[in-house]
């Protein structure tokens, strides 16, 4: 596409995530051309709510629109694979919510399809785009905390705490056979591997359900997951994921414990890192003048001016669009290959929970 015009974007979906994508698209300088939802009427309403120029009668019409450069897929999980295939086959660049597909092999197939098509295809693992996550990554890579000995990751929410709390994600036919891990655990493993630069090579997991039924219907997907992991370096770690943790709204934390120091990142306080040493512990606040180059690039306001989730999402979208325009995607941008990695790990977490055994993580999964 020409570099002298804005990227033209279409969004499929009209819910919370579509709103987040729309704000990011506009902030990144895109032309929000159209929105499609589950019906023409819903599409028109969503287009008005999201500030789009127009709407499409359905997803197929939006994908077929020759004006659209990038399709954002913000629909229930069971439709991601189908819509991504259609968009890629239509020559579109794609931003698809996770899980990329409902199984590791299906997600790997999408990643291969995107690579073959030569399209930019990204998945919003947006916590990578907090400046202080990039700072944690730079400090770890530089050896500032020494050899990483063990890691701890947590993602805790309470929005499904009650037995009467229901959502389409609870239904395995729409959300897939994993709920808590596919929905938020995938962010933990992506962040762990991104910050450490290391890979999970084996894991063992247990899952549990808080309520056997929700809204009078049996529950087949997990509320809580505990995972032990072994990384390629030999480092061990523990991960805890819950959507029934009372009082925790969006508590994503990653802590790395090295031979010289530790680093802690808390998504609910994203402008800070906790840097611990045996002699003292310090809070490192975001200051572009003192950060690594990558962290400073993402730091769009001066020190003392808070940044948050929407800023991280916008940075992800902006880097995606820059890749569309230039034909070269920054290596830190999460692609369909990263989405396939998360889907593979989700499969293995459920497999391990079912067998009670450790399972090895292959470097890749056949499509």
């Amino acid at each position: 596409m020409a570099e002298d015009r804005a990227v033209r974007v279409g969004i499929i979906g009209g819910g919370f995530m579509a709103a987040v994508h729309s704000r990011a698209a506009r902030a990144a300088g895109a032309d929000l051309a159209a929105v499609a939802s589950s019906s023409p009427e819903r599409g028109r309403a969503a287009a008005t709510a999201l500030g789009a120029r127009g709407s499409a009668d359905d997803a197929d019409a939006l994908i077929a629109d020759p004006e659209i450069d990038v399709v954002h897929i913000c629909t229930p999980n069971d439709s991601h694979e189908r819509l991504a295939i259609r968009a890629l086959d239509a020559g579109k660049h794609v931003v698809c919510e996770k899980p990329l597909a409902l199984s590791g092999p299906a997600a790997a197939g999408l990643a291969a399809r995107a690579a073959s098509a030569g399209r930019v295809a990204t998945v919003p693992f947006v916590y990578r785009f907090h400046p202080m996550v990039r700072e944690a990554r730079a400090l770890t890579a530089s050896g500032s905390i020494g050899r990483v000995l063990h890691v701890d990751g947590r993602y805790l929410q309470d929005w499904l705490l009650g037995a009467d709390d229901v959502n389409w994600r609870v239904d395995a036919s729409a959300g897939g056979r994993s709920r808590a891990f596919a929905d938020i655990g995938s962010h933990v493993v992506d962040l762990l591997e991104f910050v450490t630069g290391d890979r999970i090579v084996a894991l063992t997991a247990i899952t549990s359900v808080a309520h056997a039924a929700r809204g009078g219907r049996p529950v087949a997907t997990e509320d809580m997951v505990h995972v032990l992991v072994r990384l390629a370096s030999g480092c061990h770690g523990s991960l805890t994921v819950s959507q029934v943790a009372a009082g925790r709204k969006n508590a994503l934390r990653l802590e790395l414990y090295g031979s010289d120091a530790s680093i802690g990142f808390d998504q609910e306080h994203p402008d800070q890192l906790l840097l611990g040493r045996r002699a003292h512990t310090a809070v490192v606040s975001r200051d572009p003048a003192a950060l690594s180059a990558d962290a400073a690039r993402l730091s769009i306001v001066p020190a003392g001016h808070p940044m948050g989730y929407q800023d991280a999402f916008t940075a992800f979208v902006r880097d995606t669009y820059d890749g569309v325009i230039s034909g070269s995607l920054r290596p830190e941008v999460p692609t369909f290959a990263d989405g396939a990695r998360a889907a593979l790990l989700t499969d293995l977490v459920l497999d391990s929970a079912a067998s009670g055994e450790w399972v090895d993580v292959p470097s890749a999964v056949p499509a």
Side-chain angles (χ1 to χ4, degrees), residues 198-268:
D198 208 349
R199 286 278 189 166
I200 298 170
V201 296
L203 61 85
T204 185
I206 57 173
T207 64
S208 55
V209 175
H211 306 289
R214 290 181 179 273
R217 300 183 62 181
V219 172
T221 54
E222 79 284 355
D223 291 303
M224 298 163 281
V225 187
H226 297 274
V227 189
L228 296 179
V229 298
R230 185 168 65 249
L231 307 186
S233 65
C235 164
H236 287 190
S238 60
L239 311 176
T240 301
V241 176
S242 175
Q243 293 179 320
V244 291
R248 309 302 283 173
K249 304 306 177 186
N250 201 48
L252 170 60
R253 294 179 60 90
L254 180 67
E255 297 174 356
L256 311 182
Y257 295 92
S259 55
D260 298 325
S262 65
I263 290 178
F265 173 77
D266 180 354
Q267 195 277 149
E268 291 183 330

Side-chain angles (χ1 to χ4, degrees), residues 68-108:
I68 302 295
D69 301 308
V70 183
V71 173
H72 288 241
I73 300 171
C74 308
T75 55
N77 300 348
D78 63 329
S79 61
H80 291 176
E81 180 185 6
R82 168 173 52 85
L83 293 173
I85 288 172
R86 290 181 185 177
L88 289 170
D89 287 353
K92 308 299 185 185
H93 304 279
V94 183
V95 178
C96 184
E97 272 297 325
K98 47 79 194 151
L100 186 56
L102 298 187
S103 73

